[in-house]
Each structure stands twice: as C-alpha cells, then as structure tokens.
C-alpha cells in the first residue's frame, strides 16, 4: 500500500491591521488538509485573532519583525526544527499570503510538482535573464534541500534589509541561486516573464494555476478588473466570498465595485487612460 506524503508548510503572513480574516483562514485550512502548517505573521495580532488559525495549524504566531516573508519563513522553520521532527517530512514548503487562493483543489497541483525530479520547485518561475528563480510566494523542497546544512544557514541568516530590491536579490533570487550552487535541480510548472503573474490572471487561471496575485487588483489603472471578475465567477462560492471580504477591507467597497466590470466601454477607456499615462511618463 502506498504511504501518504507527509508535508510541512511554513506559512508567512502579513496584515497591516493584524487581522486574520476569512481569506487567510481559507488558505491555511486548505493547506492543513494536505500537511502540517506552521504560521508566522509579520505583524502584531491579538490572541483572539490568531486563534482563528488554531484548528488548522500546529503552531501560529504573529509578531512584527520587519524581515518580510523570509523572516517569517525563518521563524516558522526554527520553530519546526525545535518542536517537530523535520526529518519525518517528505516535502517542506515555504508559502505566503501575497496571493488569493487556492482557486482549485490544491492536492493534484502539489502532486504534479512533486512528481518531477526537482529538489526545489514552485508553481511559477521568473525567467529573468541574469537571475532566473522560483517565485518566493510558493516554494517546495525535497529533503535534499530542507535537510541540508546550507539551507539551514541560508534561512537562519535572514536579516532586515533596506529595500525590496535587496530582499529579492538576497533571498528570493538567492535561494534558487543557492540550490543550483549546491548541485541541486530546480524547476517550475509555469514560466512567466516580467510581470505576467500579475497581469495575466485569467490566462493563468485557465491554464490551471490555483492562485492569483493580490497586486493584480491595483495594477494598470483597474484594467485587470474584468480578468479578476472572470476568475471570481468561476471559483467556489466560499473562495469568492473570502477573497471579496479581504479585497473590500483592503481597498474599499467602492473601489471594488468600480474595479469588477465586464463593460467593454469601461474596459476600453481604462486601457486608453493607462496607455496615455505610460506615454506621458515616457514608458512606451
């Protein structure tokens, strides 16, 4: 009889108000059906709020540390090493809440990634010429990586950095660079150039990507609203409700009512305004 796969998810979260809302609970609950979950939020949160995650986690904490996602991955990893037998796991994942989802049943997608011979992997590769890398919002690792001394040194060495560019270079790009430097193989299901993971929401959803980036909700002067609406109209009701709850709290109900449209006239006007704005800034 085939043994079940044992997974550990190191989950990094953030909310400017320290809230644990339905979209986060929905995501963590979905992960908990597939493995053990350790959550660390890079924000201060009340005990009552963090308790919303208790049924779906082996540990959840929320303290502002200013080291962003990799700082939360570090804290979750250290807790797991001190309180769990990390050698028991077949796969360890580092995931964060910069996305909404899952939009599909996540189990088959994980199995698809795990069926490859990659030591480290993820849904999406950024093929940036100088530093191609696994996008850091969802990274999977085999024991060849997460049990290694070099990974322990890498993740526990995370420190606050001055800007996002440095964080990306040292940690997001740095992780994939370190994988390759230590003779391990890495790969992803999708290769998405430039900012396509933000801008091609509908296309990626139809190709089977079970997440959409939150940043898409504010990009291109609202020009992506009809793509987002398409996804929302095709996912389970609970997922849609959870996403809209978070989006309305984050950007306001009025903005969301304006953003989500299939009106071709409004879509065209937004595209024209966005193009003119880019032209004025000399970006065309």
């Amino acid at each position: 009889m085939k043994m079940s796969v044992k997974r550990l998810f190191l989950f990094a979260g953030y909310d400017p108000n320290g809230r644990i809302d339905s979209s986060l609970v929905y995501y963590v609950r979905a992960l908990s059906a597939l493995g053990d979950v350790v959550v660390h939020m890079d924000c201060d949160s009340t005990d009552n709020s963090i308790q919303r995650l208790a049924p779906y986690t082996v540990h959840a904490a929320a303290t502002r540390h200013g080291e962003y996602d990799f700082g939360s991955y570090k804290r979750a990893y250290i807790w797991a090493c001190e309180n769990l037998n990390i050698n028991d796991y077949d796969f360890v994942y580092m995931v964060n809440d910069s996305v909404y989802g899952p939009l599909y049943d996540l189990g088959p997608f994980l199995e698809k990634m795990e069926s490859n011979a990659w030591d480290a992997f993820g849904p999406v590769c950024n093929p940036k010429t100088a530093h191609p890398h696994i996008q850091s919002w969802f990274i999977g690792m085999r024991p060849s990586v997460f049990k290694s001394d070099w990974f322990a040194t890498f993740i526990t060495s995370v420190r606050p950095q001055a800007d996002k560019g440095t964080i990306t270079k040292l940690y997001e790009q740095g992780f994939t660079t370190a994988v390759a430097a230590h003779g391990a193989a890495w790969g992803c299901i999708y290769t998405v150039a430039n900012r396509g993971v933000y801008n091609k929401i509908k296309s990626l959803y139809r190709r089977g990507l079970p997440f959409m980036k939150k940043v898409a909700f504010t990009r291109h002067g609202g020009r992506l609203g009809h793509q987002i609406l398409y996804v929302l109209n095709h996912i389970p009701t609970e997922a849609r409700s959870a996403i809209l709850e978070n989006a309305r709290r984050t950007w306001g109900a009025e903005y969301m009512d304006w953003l989500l449209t299939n009106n071709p006239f409004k879509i065209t006007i937004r595209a024209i305004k966005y193009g003119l704005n880019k032209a004025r800034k000399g970006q065309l």
Side-chain angles (χ1 to χ4, degrees):
M1 182 174 68
K2 184 180 179 181
M3 298 294 290
S4 61
V5 175
K6 191 167 186 182
R7 305 180 180 96
L8 173 64
F9 298 95
L10 309 176
F11 190 98
Y14 171 75
D15 187 275
N17 300 309
R19 291 276 299 277
I20 310 295
D21 69 13
S22 297
S23 67
L24 183 62
V25 173
Y26 183 84
Y27 190 177
V28 171
R29 188 181 71 197
L31 294 176
S32 73
L34 300 165
D36 295 332
V37 186
V38 177
V39 173
H40 198 101
M41 307 281 290
D42 184 12
C43 56
D44 295 319
S45 184
T46 66
D47 291 341
N48 287 339
S49 186
I50 202 73
Q51 279 300 307
R52 292 193 68 185
L53 298 176
Y56 313 112
T57 61
V58 295
H59 177 71
T63 53
R64 181 64 171 155
H65 53 72
E67 296 177 4
Y68 297 91
D69 295 331
F70 275 89
S72 289
Y73 295 154
K74 176 181 74 174
R75 285 161 173 79
Y77 170 80
I78 291 172
W79 187 93
C81 288
E82 292 176 348
N83 294 275
L84 304 172
N85 187 352
I86 203 165
N87 293 324
D88 283 349
Y89 293 96
D90 300 298
F91 298 94
V92 171
Y93 286 85
M94 300 186 293
V95 302
N96 71 40
D97 66 347
S98 66
V99 295
Y100 287 126
L103 310 173
Y104 295 103
D105 180 4
L106 191 55
F109 192 81
L110 294 187
E111 291 170 4
K112 182 177 182 180
M113 291 192 294
E114 293 165 358
S115 68
N116 291 281
W118 301 320
D119 297 286
F121 51 87
V124 178
C125 166
N126 183 329
K128 190 173 183 178
T129 304
H131 303 284
H133 59 274
I134 306 167
Q135 293 200 349
S136 62
W137 51 270
F138 206 109
I139 294 174
M141 299 174 286
R142 291 184 185 276
S144 53
V145 173
F146 70 77
K147 290 185 184 180
S148 68
D149 291 339
W150 72 258
F151 176 73
T153 299
F154 170 85
I155 198 65
T156 58
S157 297
V158 171
R159 296 292 183 271
Q161 302 299 329
D163 54 73
K164 186 176 179 180
T166 303
I167 293 169
T168 300
K169 180 178 180 180
L170 290 179
Y171 303 133
E172 181 171 35
Q173 296 173 4
F175 170 78
T176 305
T177 299
V179 169
H182 288 88
W186 67 274
C188 296
I189 303 298
Y190 306 100
T191 297
V192 185
N194 300 318
R195 295 178 174 83
V197 71
Y198 310 133
N199 300 336
K200 299 178 179 180
I201 296 295
K202 179 179 177 180
S203 172
L204 288 169
Y205 169 77
R206 294 183 67 177
R207 290 170 61 192
L209 181 66
F211 299 98
M212 63 175 168
K213 292 289 283 184
K214 292 179 179 179
V215 174
F217 283 62
T218 58
R219 287 183 59 77
H220 290 194
R223 192 163 63 95
L224 305 179
H226 68 291
Q227 292 192 44
I228 296 168
L229 182 59
Y230 175 91
V231 174
L232 291 173
N233 286 340
H234 287 80
I235 61 177
T237 301
E238 185 181 4
R240 175 188 171 96
S241 297
I243 291 168
L244 287 174
E245 176 191 323
N246 179 269
R248 286 173 176 142
R249 180 170 65 86
T250 302
W251 298 294
E254 184 176 349
Y255 174 81
M256 290 303 301
D257 290 342
W258 171 83
L259 176 70
L260 301 177
T261 182
N262 276 324
N263 185 306
F265 177 74
K266 291 180 179 179
I267 294 168
T268 301
I269 292 298
R270 291 178 193 181
I272 293 171
K273 286 182 177 179
Y274 175 72
L276 290 174
N277 187 51
K278 285 191 69 175
R280 282 195 295 268
K281 293 180 179 179
Q283 295 178 351
L284 289 182

